[in-house]
Amino acid sequence: MTSAAESTQTPVAKRALPFLLITILIDAIGLGIIVPVLPSLITEVTELDLSDAALWGGALIFIYALMSFLFAPVLGNLSDRFGRRPVLIIGLVVLGIDYIIMALAPNIWWLLVGRTMSGIAAATFTTANAYIADVSTPENRAKSYGLLGAAWGTGFMLGPVLGGLVADFADSARAPFYLAAFLALANALYGYLLLPESLAQDKRRPFDLKRANTIGAVRMVARHPGMLGLLAAMICYQIGHDANPAIWSFYTMYKFGWDAGDIGWSLGFVGICLIFSMGWLTGYAVPRLGEKRAIIVGFTCAGIGFLGYALATQSWMMYAATIFFAMVGVGSSALRSVLSKQVSETEQGELQGAITSVMGLTAIFTPLVMTGLFSTFTGDDAPIHLPGAPYLLATLTMVISILLVVSYIGRLAVRPQPASSNNTD
């Protein structure tokens, strides 16, 4: 039986959603493919040992996050001016060129240039979210955002596995970069041939450099009652969410003696749970709970999951806590849907750029905070032995996020939502 949400999808949405899901899937695979081989490539081009090469690895992560923070609002505003389609396609082309540069890199500076380009062009997720806001109805928007999140999770879970297999088969740390380039460029061609434009000419606005930065984007958000508080809630959620990639490996090795295989299997389970949460459960739960309750339930369960991580005394408890943590996918998709409904069609790119920018900011400092906490509370001079301290902080950020949602969601202005979009190709 076709659901009400599916029956109200616009024709453009039905044609575009598969492409958007494939775009995000390929983008995430491309990022994940290089994870297992990047240390080897850095040691190759720098001729340093693994310990010293790790510093350059941190620099590459930092430059990517910094460029994403600075340029996401620019690209979001460009998509409001020129449409989503060209920004998506150009972003994919630049990503393809980035991977080729990294594959050919004779020294570390080429890798830094490549990661800089990648961070600047990382508009696929931002622009895809704006595209979803253009073509989806209010009823199925949270579900569509959940599907995008599931596609990203699937790609990032498959990417490292594929990267390791390709590197082993080709006996080269550079081979996965060529595959990532092929995937990005093939997807750009697919979009050029098949993707319709979602933003009609009469819905576009002039590009304004004053608005095309994080401060300008936040000012736009602040003009809408209640939205600044909800954006703060999203920042708090993201800080908590980023605890896992920052310390999961260190925490589980320290507390449970896990090896690389144990960590790999556990992260695979995390990915499967998030895919289920965002890919199916969001579409089922949000229409029945409503967006506000879906956010609260999702973030409450995530907080319970983080608390479970912090207090776990046996390995199986990490798996049990993950079932609760994965509900964060329902809450985050519903929150993004609520935010998207508060701005006009001409501001969707700007809003999604603002969200991506502040998430890029958390990606810069959260790993430093979480790993710093872990080091402080596990060292010989620790004031108290508490390896779960980062997860306790993550629990606190989820509580703050819930309080912000409860406080500010009632202040939102009621905007009339069109039943369908008049988008043109």
Side-chain angles (χ1 to χ4, degrees):
M1 177 179 288
T2 302
S3 68
E6 290 170 334
S7 65
T8 56
Q9 275 191 333
T10 67
V12 174
K14 291 179 179 178
R15 282 187 290 164
L17 188 57
F19 170 82
L20 294 176
L21 295 177
I22 293 171
T23 296
I24 296 303
L25 178 68
I26 290 178
D27 191 15
I29 288 176
L31 287 172
I33 272 178
I34 70 176
V35 169
V37 296
L38 189 58
S40 298
L41 183 58
I42 294 173
T43 57
E44 178 184 330
V45 300
T46 60
E47 299 182 350
L48 297 172
D49 61 25
L50 194 60
S51 178
D52 291 332
L55 297 175
W56 284 111
L60 293 176
I61 294 172
F62 173 80
I63 197 67
Y64 178 90
L66 179 62
M67 293 300 103
S68 179
F69 166 71
L70 293 175
F71 284 90
V74 177
L75 295 168
N77 277 265
L78 285 173
S79 77
D80 284 340
R81 169 63 183 88
F82 297 105
R84 318 301 182 202
R85 182 176 180 271
V87 175
L88 273 170
I89 294 171
I90 292 173
L92 287 167
V93 170
V94 174
L95 281 176
I97 296 172
D98 155 52
Y99 292 132
I100 293 173
I101 289 174
M102 296 185 74
L104 298 173
N107 54 57
I108 190 63
W109 304 112
W110 281 50
L111 296 183
L112 286 169
V113 169
R115 285 289 82 184
T116 300
M117 290 176 59
S118 183
I120 293 173
T124 48
F125 204 71
T126 298
T127 313
N129 278 305
Y131 199 119
I132 287 295
D134 292 338
V135 302
S136 62
T137 61
E139 294 80 10
N140 68 3
R141 192 167 298 172
K143 176 183 178 181
S144 297
Y145 283 140
L147 289 172
L148 287 184
W152 176 269
T154 302
F156 205 78
M157 186 173 63
L158 293 176
V161 176
L162 185 58
L165 291 174
V166 170
D168 287 343
F169 178 79
D171 194 24
S172 170
R174 297 175 184 266
F177 291 89
Y178 287 113
L179 178 58
F182 171 77
L183 291 174
L185 295 174
N187 200 33
L189 179 61
Y190 173 35
Y192 179 78
L193 295 175
L194 298 177
L195 182 68
E197 176 56 64
S198 66
L199 188 63
Q201 289 287 346
D202 61 344
K203 301 296 183 183
R204 302 180 189 184
R205 62 175 177 81
F207 180 82
D208 184 355
L209 191 58
K210 293 180 180 179
R211 298 171 64 170
N213 57 77
T214 303
I215 295 175
V218 170
R219 284 175 178 168
M220 180 278 290
V221 170
R223 292 199 301 268
H224 299 271
M227 279 191 64
L228 199 58
L230 293 185
L231 186 62
M234 180 162 279
I235 294 172
C236 290
Y237 135 74
Q238 192 66 34
I239 292 172
H241 176 274
D242 288 349
N244 268 352
I247 66 155
W248 181 275
S249 298
F250 297 100
Y251 180 71
T252 53
M253 290 174 69
Y254 178 87
K255 196 165 187 179
F256 306 111
W258 285 7
D259 59 20
D262 296 323
I263 293 169
W265 283 112
S266 67
L267 289 176
F269 182 74
V270 172
I272 290 171
C273 289
L274 285 171
I275 290 166
F276 172 78
S277 171
M278 303 184 82
W280 180 80
L281 191 57
T282 296
Y284 178 84
V286 174
R288 289 162 176 79
L289 294 175
E291 289 172 332
K292 178 181 177 180
R293 280 186 290 180
I295 297 168
I296 294 171
V297 169
F299 285 177
T300 299
C301 288
I304 294 172
F306 284 131
L307 186 61
Y309 291 152
L311 302 179
T313 57
Q314 298 183 48
S315 293
W316 68 265
M317 295 179 181
M318 297 296 288
Y319 285 85
T322 294
I323 296 173
F324 288 91
F325 160 73
M327 285 291 290
V328 74
V330 175
S332 61
S333 298
L335 179 55
R336 189 181 285 268
S337 176
V338 169
L339 286 168
S340 73
K341 294 175 183 178
Q342 300 307 305
V343 301
S344 67
E345 292 168 287
T346 64
E347 297 175 315
Q348 288 296 336
E350 186 175 12
L351 171 64
Q352 299 303 331
I355 293 173
T356 301
S357 182
V358 297
M359 287 184 173
L361 181 61
T362 67
I364 293 172
F365 72 80
T366 299
L368 299 176
V369 172
M370 295 300 180
T371 54
L373 272 176
F374 180 79
S375 178
T376 298
F377 286 96
T378 56
D380 294 335
D381 57 348
I384 180 175
H385 183 256
L386 191 63
Y391 285 122
L392 292 177
L393 176 60
T395 304
L396 178 61
T397 63
M398 299 312 300
V399 172
I400 295 172
S401 185
I402 293 168
L403 293 175
L404 287 168
V405 169
V406 172
S407 299
Y408 284 94
I409 201 167
R411 306 182 192 183
L412 298 178
V414 179
R415 286 183 58 86
Q417 297 293 325
S420 62
S421 176
N422 296 321
N423 302 316
T424 59
D425 292 0

